[in-house]
Amino acid sequence: MPTLHGGYARPTWGTRSFSPDLFVGDWPPPKTITVVDKLTETTEAAAVTIFNGTLHLESYTESEVVYIAYAEEHDVKITDFSENNTLITVFTTYCGASYLNLTLDSTLASSSPIVTYAVTGESMLIDILSDCAAFFSHAFYISGSTLYLISLANDNNTSTLDEFEFFMGSEYVAPIPYSIFKASTRHLYGTYAYGEEYEADPVCSTNTTQIDSALTQIKTNMEKDFYRFKVIPEAGYIPEICDKVTVTNNSLQDDTTTVMNVTGYMVDVINDEIIIEGIGSST
């Protein structure tokens, strides 16, 4: 996600490196390859698609062939955006066939945020929607032909991990201290009397009550601890954004239980691990 209080959980895929032996009979390597990656720890029928896109040739040498991965992009542009409606209604409109052409799942979204926001000129629609979601502490991700809009106050799936299901070297990071949170002319003091100022931008509302409520949610999320765990694939956990994950770690100074919501993840095929990141608290 672009912020710890939400937005579009945009997939990024980096590069792929292959042995030249893979291209025997097909040399030089093709410029593009269509790829569908699936992940499963049980049966093939249970496999989940984690990448559907194109590999574009970057370079090759005597020892390796390198491709850059490009996932399917939702690159719809819009000229002038003006809305005064609930967040769910805004997403319903722009998931429609005339725009993103996606099915909206707003089961875990909040019905209360009202977007009052305008953008002039040509912009990427997905970026505008990301800004609107983030201002109201919502995240969204796209899986297949469905866009999932979720309030960070709600849990997606629920999972538990113990010390046998993740690698050593997990990270526990305290939040950056913010002394004040700002949005337009409104402000909210942070828990700390010292530290940085945080400004929510753009401000996707003109209603002071809505802005104050949004700032309260932003403060709540920004003041949570941040975590990164390297999950063993054999644990069978395939993450989704906003999953609630309870992690028990008995390798620290004292036994520690962490409850976090996933804000991002990466499948590392080379090192055989799934890295999950999120915000929450520990006891």
Side-chain angles (χ1 to χ4, degrees):
M1 299 189 313
T3 74
L4 291 180
H5 54 86
Y8 175 32
R10 188 188 307 270
T12 56
W13 301 100
T15 61
R16 308 279 185 93
S17 179
F18 302 99
S19 167
D21 294 341
L22 184 65
F23 301 93
V24 172
D26 191 19
W27 194 266
K31 292 295 192 300
T32 61
I33 303 174
T34 300
V35 172
V36 177
D37 291 339
K38 296 189 175 185
L39 181 66
T40 180
E41 294 303 327
T42 54
T43 65
E44 184 176 347
V48 175
T49 298
I50 59 171
F51 175 79
N52 187 346
T54 301
L55 302 184
H56 188 90
L57 181 65
E58 180 183 53
S59 63
Y60 57 87
T61 66
E62 297 87 349
S63 59
E64 69 173 351
V65 179
V66 179
Y67 282 84
I68 302 175
Y70 293 93
E72 180 184 1
E73 291 290 340
H74 300 276
D75 54 355
V76 175
K77 295 179 181 178
I78 187 170
T79 301
D80 297 337
F81 173 94
S82 181
E83 283 292 337
N84 181 18
N85 222 318
T86 67
L87 183 65
I88 291 177
T89 299
V90 170
F91 270 78
T92 299
T93 298
Y94 292 105
C95 280
S98 299
Y99 298 99
L100 295 176
N101 195 26
L102 297 169
T103 299
L104 174 66
D105 186 326
S106 59
T107 306
L108 295 176
S110 171
S111 60
S112 58
I114 298 175
V115 175
T116 308
Y117 183 50
V119 178
T120 57
E122 187 176 69
S123 302
M124 298 297 293
L125 176 58
I126 202 79
D127 293 337
I128 295 175
L129 294 178
S130 181
D131 289 339
C132 293
F135 183 72
F136 291 106
S137 289
H138 279 62
F140 67 89
Y141 65 95
I142 298 169
S143 179
S145 60
T146 301
L147 185 152
Y148 295 87
L149 178 65
I150 304 174
S151 167
L152 267 63
N154 294 327
D155 301 326
N156 198 351
N157 307 298
T158 302
S159 297
T160 59
L161 299 170
D162 61 33
E163 70 268 27
F164 302 108
E165 295 176 311
F166 59 90
F167 295 104
M168 294 287 289
S170 299
E171 297 180 48
Y172 297 74
V173 182
I176 296 172
Y178 290 104
S179 60
I180 192 170
F181 294 84
K182 295 181 176 180
S184 185
T185 60
R186 310 297 293 177
H187 70 270
L188 179 67
Y189 289 112
T191 298
Y192 308 97
Y194 52 85
E196 302 178 20
E197 294 186 356
Y198 186 84
E199 184 150 5
D201 182 53
V203 178
C204 300
S205 177
T206 57
N207 181 283
T208 56
T209 301
Q210 290 274 318
I211 295 174
D212 290 347
S213 177
L215 278 177
T216 299
Q217 295 176 69
I218 289 171
K219 173 181 180 291
T220 296
N221 290 306
M222 295 295 292
E223 291 188 342
K224 290 181 178 180
D225 290 343
F226 178 83
Y227 305 97
R228 182 180 291 113
F229 293 97
K230 299 177 180 180
V231 181
I232 298 170
E234 286 74 16
Y237 173 55
I238 300 175
E240 293 287 5
I241 297 300
C242 290
D243 279 1
K244 177 182 178 181
V245 183
T246 301
V247 183
T248 303
N249 191 347
N250 297 330
S251 64
L252 299 173
Q253 181 66 29
D254 286 318
D255 294 352
T256 304
T257 298
T258 298
V259 180
M260 59 175 271
N261 287 93
V262 174
T263 58
Y265 64 90
M266 179 179 73
V267 178
D268 188 337
V269 177
I270 294 176
N271 294 313
D272 195 28
E273 60 189 16
I274 301 172
I275 302 171
I276 61 171
E277 299 178 342
I279 53 175
S281 61
S282 295
T283 55

